[in-house]
Amino acid sequence: MPELPEVETTIRGLALHLEDRILTSVRTMRPDMRRPFPAGLGQTLVGARVTGLGRRAKFGLIHTDRARTLIFHLGMSGRWRIDPETPDKHDHLTIETETNRFALNDPRRFGWVDLVDTAELDSWPSFASMGPEPLGPALTPAYLKGALAGRRQAIKLLLLDQRIVAGLGNIYVCEALWRARISPKRAGGRVSLAALERLVPAIREVLEQSIRDGGSSLRDFVRPDGELGYFATRFDVYGRTGQVCRREDGGLIRRFEQGGRSSWYCPRCQR
DNA sequence: CGTGTGCCCTGACAGC
DNA sequence: TGCTGTCAGGGCACAC
């Protein structure tokens, strides 16, 4: 599913074809989205020029010269198809420029779209209380120490909380904790500063490596150009139940449930 | 405020 | 082959 590296890969792929282009058509295909499309999407955006693309946490941003930004979330099965040869029943929103056609395709419809004033992006509900970007300068061991102080919840669950760090999902939290040798079960307030000094670079490295590899192609994720990312083949713990730990410490990867989601870790080296 | 639970949705896959 | 059940995941509403 799309996490931060997949959204980043998507944004970069879209930027190649959308930046500085005029939108000639914007159409929504179905009314029964989990969250309805904002009214007047077409009227507002047709004729607008795309000034740039961006990302905040796992949200994609398409900025236009009409002081409006189109925000999209890919949910768990969303992707943008570029120049699709045939329409698909899960294409929910299509955008055209003079040279290309784009379809937001999302079988499970967990994703959604909104249109907001660019000047008010920071106060958009989902952004208003978000924590720092994991790849930005504000995520430091000292910041995390403060954010986790006194918290009894497991570090795994706290790292998924977008108010603490904005953009981490299940896969990369599991992977980063393995790299930092921290147990996902450890209470947030009991993670030492030394461990956080391993965790922050671990988060950055796993995300950056995945972006370099073009996003993982777990299940239904495909890059906008249709090529598969291949980070999935490099997972150290995610989905590796029963397999040997890559640290070759004799540990076997275990799966268990936290907050209704699966966690994987090596009980030997993650403490 | 912190914490825990359940819902939304479809397709892939396992097992019979 | 065809059916049934299970699972995946992010964000948010809601209860305590």
Side-chain angles (χ1 to χ4, degrees):
Chain A
M1 56 72 48
E3 289 201 20
L4 186 152
E6 291 76 14
V7 178
E8 183 65 30
T9 304
T10 296
I11 282 296
R12 293 181 187 183
L14 287 174
L16 295 174
H17 307 286
L18 265 180
E19 218 151 39
D20 287 328
R21 306 293 170 84
I22 307 282
L23 301 178
T24 55
S25 165
V26 176
R27 283 201 209 108
T28 58
M29 321 300 280
R30 61 187 294 168
D32 60 333
M33 298 299 283
R34 204 159 59 94
R35 297 183 185 203
F37 287 110
L41 208 54
Q43 291 99 304
T44 310
L45 292 180
V46 170
R49 188 173 57 89
V50 174
T51 53
L53 282 90
R55 176 188 60 73
R56 175 78 172 105
K58 287 174 265 192
F59 292 84
L61 309 173
I62 303 175
H63 304 297
T64 73
D65 65 353
R66 299 223 170 128
R68 298 281 200 291
T69 293
L70 183 71
I71 303 178
F72 65 86
H73 195 292
L74 296 175
M76 298 203 246
S77 58
R79 64 189 175 108
W80 280 95
R81 306 167 71 213
I82 299 184
D83 297 330
E85 298 192 0
T86 53
D88 182 90
K89 65 173 173 174
H90 300 304
D91 291 343
H92 307 315
L93 169 70
T94 60
I95 288 177
E96 289 175 29
T97 63
E98 286 186 355
T99 50
N100 297 93
R101 189 161 169 277
F102 309 84
L104 180 59
N105 185 280
D106 183 6
R108 289 187 213 159
R109 280 184 283 148
F110 267 49
W112 76 93
V113 163
D114 204 356
L115 186 66
V116 302
D117 287 351
T118 306
E120 291 169 19
L121 265 182
D122 289 344
S123 53
W124 187 62
S126 295
F127 292 164
S129 53
M130 262 188 184
E133 285 286 325
L135 295 178
L139 180 67
T140 63
Y143 161 78
L144 271 185
K145 191 71 186 157
L148 300 176
R151 301 294 296 265
R152 295 184 194 181
Q153 250 190 335
I155 181 72
K156 156 78 188 297
L157 294 171
L158 292 165
L159 290 175
L160 286 173
D161 185 338
Q162 306 292 295
R163 293 169 297 188
I164 295 177
V165 188
L168 294 180
N170 202 34
I171 294 171
Y172 296 104
V173 166
C174 290
E175 293 295 311
L177 287 172
W178 179 84
R179 289 183 182 218
R181 303 196 309 277
I182 299 168
S183 168
K185 298 179 180 180
R186 180 168 282 271
R190 295 191 58 250
V191 180
S192 70
L193 186 60
L196 296 175
E197 283 168 349
R198 298 193 302 270
L199 180 60
V200 169
I203 289 170
R204 293 218 174 94
E205 284 161 18
V206 73
L207 293 176
E208 283 169 357
Q209 192 176 351
S210 178
I211 291 169
R212 276 202 303 278
D213 288 351
S216 45
S217 65
L218 189 64
R219 298 183 191 282
D220 35 26
F221 178 74
V222 182
R223 289 194 294 179
D225 58 10
E227 293 299 305
L228 295 175
Y230 50 90
F231 188 78
T233 59
R234 297 205 202 176
F235 289 155
D236 289 305
V237 284
Y238 186 86
R240 295 192 69 238
T241 311
Q243 298 184 44
V244 297
C245 177
R246 293 206 208 277
R247 284 203 176 90
E248 299 183 358
D249 54 9
L252 295 179
I253 305 304
R254 263 188 218 160
R255 172 191 176 279
F256 68 105
E257 200 164 288
Q258 282 182 300
R261 294 198 158 87
S262 288
S263 295
W264 286 267
Y265 78 121
C266 170
R268 182 68 67 92
C269 59
Q270 291 179 255
R271 297 293 172 164

